[in-house]
Amino acid sequence: KAFGHRPERRYQWRPIAAGAAAAARGDEEAGLVVGGGGSAAFPVVLVQIPMYNEREVYKLSIGAACALEWPSDRVVIQVLDDSTDPAVKVRMQSIHPSIHPSSTHNKWAIKKKDLVEIECQRWKGKGVNIKYEVRGNRKGYKAGALKEGLKHDYVQECEFIAMFDADFQPESDFLLRTVPFLVHNPDIALVQTRWKFVNSDECLLTRFQEMSLDYHFKFEQEAGSIVYSFFGFNGTAGVWRISAIDDAGGWKDRTTVEDMDLAVRTALKGWKFVYVGAVKVRSELPSTFKAYRFQQHRWSCGPANLFKKMLVEILESKKVSFWSKLHLLYDFFFVGKIAAHTVTFIYYCFAIPLSVFFPEIQIPLWGVVYVPTVITLCKALGSPSSFHLVILWVLFENVMSLHRIRAAITGLLDAGRVNEWVVTEKLGDANKTKPATEVLDAVKVIDVELTTPLVPKLKKRRIRLWDKYNCSEIFVGTCIVICGFYDLFYANKGYYIYLFIQGLAFLVVGFEYIGIRPP
């Protein structure tokens, strides 16, 4: 960054010609006169939005995708809806203004899936080339939906795919800033952009997530791109070359990290990736701890399982060098996805606490304080505005290492919850980033309320203690606090200050006093 190694300098990147740019804004006549290219200068782009029961955010993502600056005849918006939610009541006046508010027809029972279809039809009525696609089952989850979406005839005309999850809202110039990399560099398969979080200040949990993801994007993704090395696809906010996807064998649903799977197979075919950190796409962080745990299980279990399944394939690859294989296997997979969680938990939450019971074990001060402090400060540079939270963040990351190491072991052993896919819950917090009037102008809000259940209401089941709390975190936290008391009264090694606050962090998470309570 200090030497100005921006992607625009290292790769060929030229903005769309003046005539084409005019066409992108909808001025077709100006586009045909100025520059002579018009919309024909644009490649055909498919914008995919996979979603599953996204009642809170589906309008935002569809609206943002339909507002992208690109000629209407050169872009296809494809909404892949796997929703299975029950029926709701909708005020029909919000869909058909001609209906009087007091009319008996003003309310109409409708499935949540149909709400998405109605929204797509509304944009289609405005001239947007949008397709609403459903399938008969959820086989393969997100990978299955994306794979099925590429089978439609109209996709054959598309060269590139822009992918956005249901809570992602790209800026209107997203395609204008990313697609030129693919147009002018035929060896690039993927342009990955950065995530921007609309609810990072909602609670301490979202602040911690922002710090971790800022480090991931600013350092891990940026470094991989700058040195022309491999870095993973984040599953959304990226643009793919369709021919590269086909060359890699398409989407596969053998793991819960279909995005990483595709990226690794594409890299083994010799394709390049570029990360453009200057382009940011708004998204929502999970603000409940339950949703965050499910997400982290998938993000930790999936890579470990993929590492096991692709080890031989990576070693046998002929199109990448030995050093590229070493980087992929050792740096990316083994260290980044397995060893990091293992070392963090075993060292900070097992070895140090247990050492107080053995006087002959003396951990050097540099191993307890100096090196961890330097590493922590370096990682915290990714989020300068949250630097004052760095100690709390480290304690929280140590707690989460317990959950991640269990997920990684599950993935390596290919057992238990290895293929569990729980969609991350979105609460629609993206609405808070804009004034209500602006949101209403952009997308007319449908008044939604739950209708009478389609099945008799079930009796409330008594929640068991081990379902209500996170017992593993409570157990580990209690053990660490006990070690702290032993060190304070008997061992006198001076570890008790750290042990007390780390044990307390485990207990806080164990009793779920972090994040917000869902409505």
Side-chain angles (χ1 to χ4, degrees):
K1 184 171 296 185
F3 287 98
H5 289 175
R6 296 193 304 271
E8 293 83 355
R9 289 188 177 183
R10 295 166 43 247
Y11 294 97
Q12 294 186 39
W13 188 92
R14 296 189 300 275
I16 303 295
R25 294 189 297 269
D27 189 358
E28 296 291 344
E29 293 184 2
L32 293 175
V33 175
V34 184
S39 63
F42 284 79
V44 182
V45 178
L46 175 68
V47 179
Q48 285 188 320
I49 310 176
M51 57 178 57
Y52 175 71
N53 297 341
E54 308 287 359
R55 191 186 73 178
E56 291 78 8
V57 295
Y58 73 96
K59 283 192 171 187
L60 296 172
S61 57
I62 294 175
C66 292
L68 290 171
E69 294 179 7
W70 208 255
S72 59
D73 61 332
R74 312 296 287 177
V75 63
V76 181
I77 311 296
Q78 186 185 66
V79 178
L80 306 169
D81 191 12
D82 277 356
S83 299
T84 58
D85 270 3
V88 296
K89 282 183 180 177
V90 181
R91 295 190 183 279
M92 289 304 295
Q93 187 192 22
S94 61
I95 303 174
H96 301 290
S98 60
I99 298 179
H100 194 273
S102 60
S103 172
T104 56
H105 301 288
N106 191 29
K107 286 193 175 183
W108 176 38
I110 188 172
K111 291 182 179 179
K112 295 180 184 176
K113 175 183 285 190
D114 294 335
L115 290 175
V116 180
E117 184 177 8
I118 291 173
E119 182 68 9
C120 293
Q121 292 296 332
R122 192 173 72 85
W123 282 103
K124 191 172 184 177
K126 295 183 178 182
V128 177
N129 187 6
I130 185 169
K131 308 290 184 180
Y132 176 75
E133 306 291 355
V134 296
R135 53 187 183 137
N137 57 69
R138 289 196 67 217
K139 181 182 179 182
Y141 302 111
K142 181 180 176 180
L146 295 172
K147 185 177 182 179
E148 194 71 22
L150 295 179
K151 294 180 179 180
H152 297 280
D153 293 337
Y154 56 83
V155 178
Q156 305 305 318
E157 303 176 1
C158 303
E159 296 181 54
F160 311 116
I161 303 178
M163 299 179 185
F164 303 103
D165 283 350
D167 59 314
F168 278 70
Q169 307 162 60
E171 299 292 340
S172 60
D173 63 348
F174 177 87
L175 296 178
L176 294 175
R177 299 177 67 182
T178 55
V179 172
F181 283 105
L182 298 168
V183 172
H184 303 305
N185 301 273
D187 57 340
I188 292 181
L190 166 67
V191 178
Q192 175 67 59
T193 62
R194 187 177 168 185
W195 300 356
K196 180 181 179 181
F197 312 110
V198 299
N199 64 330
S200 58
D201 294 332
E202 185 173 9
C203 59
L204 204 56
L205 176 62
T206 54
R207 290 293 292 270
F208 290 157
Q209 293 177 69
E210 181 189 37
M211 295 174 72
S212 298
L213 289 171
D214 278 350
Y215 165 77
H216 167 68
F217 281 107
K218 287 186 177 181
F219 298 126
E220 293 178 337
Q221 301 293 73
E222 188 84 47
S225 179
I226 286 179
V227 300
Y228 304 94
S229 184
F230 173 80
F231 64 89
F233 172 47
N234 294 113
T236 179
V239 185
W240 275 93
R241 187 186 301 272
I242 293 182
S243 59
I245 296 178
D246 295 336
D247 185 35
W251 293 100
K252 293 186 178 181
D253 57 6
R254 55 184 172 178
T255 68
T256 56
V257 283
E258 75 293 325
D259 46 7
M260 186 181 297
D261 189 342
L262 177 62
V264 173
R265 286 185 283 111
T266 306
L268 294 179
K269 292 291 184 178
W271 292 91
K272 294 181 180 179
F273 304 158
V274 59
Y275 169 73
V276 186
V279 179
K280 301 177 182 179
V281 181
R282 298 189 303 276
S283 63
E284 180 182 336
L285 293 166
S287 53
T288 65
F289 185 68
K290 180 180 179 181
Y292 180 65
R293 280 192 62 170
F294 280 127
Q295 182 195 71
Q296 292 302 301
H297 173 84
R298 189 171 75 246
W299 287 5
S300 301
C301 177
N305 189 236
L306 182 65
F307 174 57
K308 175 184 178 181
K309 293 181 177 180
M310 292 203 67
L311 177 61
V312 176
E313 185 177 346
I314 294 174
L315 292 174
E316 293 179 348
S317 176
K318 304 296 184 183
K319 292 188 177 181
V320 294
S321 66
F322 167 79
W323 296 109
S324 296
K325 295 179 184 179
L326 181 64
H327 165 69
L328 190 57
L329 290 174
Y330 181 75
D331 296 333
F332 182 78
F333 274 116
F334 179 71
V335 173
K337 309 302 180 184
I338 300 175
H341 315 316
T342 307
V343 171
T344 298
F345 178 75
I346 292 180
Y347 181 63
Y348 292 106
C349 306
F350 182 78
I352 292 180
L354 208 60
S355 68
V356 301
F357 296 103
F358 301 94
E360 61 273 18
I361 297 180
Q362 295 293 331
I363 302 178
L365 195 60
W366 60 263
V368 179
V369 180
Y370 300 149
V371 171
T373 300
V374 172
I375 294 175
T376 299
L377 293 178
C378 288
K379 293 188 68 173
L381 291 177
S383 301
S385 61
S386 301
F387 197 80
H388 60 288
L389 299 173
V390 64
I391 295 179
L392 297 178
W393 173 54
V394 171
L395 297 173
F396 177 73
E397 286 294 295
N398 290 346
V399 174
M400 291 305 302
S401 67
L402 169 63
H403 187 65
R404 291 169 182 149
I405 191 176
R406 289 190 302 177
I409 292 174
T410 300
L412 287 174
L413 298 180
D414 210 355
R417 298 164 55 197
V418 64
N419 291 319
E420 180 185 64
W421 182 287
V422 179
V423 177
T424 305
E425 179 186 24
K426 291 103 178 177
L427 301 180
D429 294 320
N431 288 308
K432 299 176 182 178
T433 61
K434 294 183 178 181
T437 54
E438 186 177 345
V439 176
L440 288 170
D441 289 339
V443 182
K444 184 179 290 183
V445 177
I446 295 179
D447 184 12
V448 179
E449 63 184 33
L450 293 177
T451 188
T452 304
L454 300 179
V455 295
K457 187 175 181 180
L458 300 176
K459 293 182 179 180
K460 188 175 181 181
R461 181 173 60 89
R462 180 177 296 178
I463 300 178
R464 295 171 296 184
L465 182 64
W466 49 87
D467 291 332
K468 187 177 181 180
Y469 301 112
N470 304 310
C471 295
S472 56
E473 281 85 350
I474 295 175
F475 174 76
V476 174
T478 303
C479 292
I480 292 178
V481 170
I482 292 174
C483 293
F485 278 112
Y486 185 86
D487 180 53
L488 176 63
F489 294 112
Y490 299 102
N492 297 320
K493 289 189 174 183
Y495 297 163
Y496 62 89
I497 298 178
Y498 160 73
L499 295 177
F500 283 151
I501 59 176
Q502 184 64 77
L504 180 61
F506 269 97
L507 294 175
V508 168
V509 174
F511 289 105
E512 290 202 11
Y513 285 106
I514 189 169
I516 68 170
R517 295 288 180 179

